[in-house]
């Protein structure tokens, strides 16, 4: 239902203050709206940016990310977006096996005195 209103809210973000569709959202959105709008006079812009995340992500995921951000007391749209990206990111790849030819290779530790000598040469110039 919110999808039909997102274009209008993007054009007129202040409309989130009185839009009927906003009042029909889950209760967490009302708490977020009140907190953002009471924190700054233009808090409605941040709230609108949160709603616009529904264009990119499923509604249930957005709601969960908003709840998580609310619990962390970090309601900036960028934070909520990052939480959503973290949810949808692919799992980190596993370790890369070392080829047998490289298993016995030993590298000598770097001699940092050489770098100090280079720096001393630079200071003397």
């Amino acid at each position: 239902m919110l999808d039909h209103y997102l274009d209008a809210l993007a054009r007129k973000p202040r409309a989130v203050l009185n839009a009927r569709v906003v009042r029909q959202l889950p209760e967490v959105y009302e708490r977020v709206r009140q907190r953002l709008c009471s924190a700054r006079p233009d808090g409605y812009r941040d709230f609108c940016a949160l709603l616009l995340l529904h264009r990119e992500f499923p509604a249930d995921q957005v709601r969960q990310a908003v709840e998580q951000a609310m619990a962390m007391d970090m309601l900036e749209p960028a934070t909520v977006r990052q939480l959503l990206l973290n949810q949808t990111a692919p799992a980190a790849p596993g370790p890369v096996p070392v080829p047998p030819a490289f298993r016995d290779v030993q590298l000598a530790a770097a001699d940092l005195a050489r770098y100090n000598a280079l720096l001393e040469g630079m200071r003397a110039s």
Side-chain angles (χ1 to χ4, degrees):
M1 177 166 63
L2 179 63
D3 296 339
H4 301 294
Y5 294 91
L6 290 176
D7 289 335
L9 293 175
R11 284 191 310 277
K12 297 185 177 189
R14 193 176 188 96
V16 298
L17 298 174
N18 300 310
R20 182 180 217 182
V21 68
V22 173
R23 292 196 177 107
Q24 294 172 348
L25 293 172
E27 189 265 336
V28 68
Y29 288 97
E30 180 59 25
R31 291 190 326 230
V32 169
R33 186 182 66 80
Q34 287 176 359
R35 187 177 299 177
L36 289 173
C37 292
S38 66
R40 292 191 347 249
D42 66 342
Y44 63 88
R45 292 184 188 277
D46 284 346
F47 183 69
C48 185
L50 289 176
L51 294 181
L52 291 175
L53 290 172
H54 285 87
R55 287 179 167 172
E56 301 175 59
F57 303 97
D60 202 37
Q61 288 181 0
V62 175
R63 183 188 49 76
Q64 289 173 0
V66 167
E67 288 172 349
Q68 187 178 358
M70 183 89 160
M72 296 168 34
D73 198 25
M74 298 178 70
L75 291 173
E76 294 81 18
T79 302
V80 176
R81 187 171 197 289
Q82 186 60 52
L83 291 170
L84 286 161
L85 290 172
N86 292 350
Q87 288 177 6
T88 59
V96 177
V98 177
F102 296 119
R103 286 190 183 141
D104 296 328
V105 173
Q106 296 291 322
L107 297 176
D111 181 7
L112 299 182
R114 289 180 163 184
Y115 296 106
N116 288 337
L118 286 173
L119 288 175
E120 289 302 321
M122 296 286 289
R123 290 185 194 144
S125 308

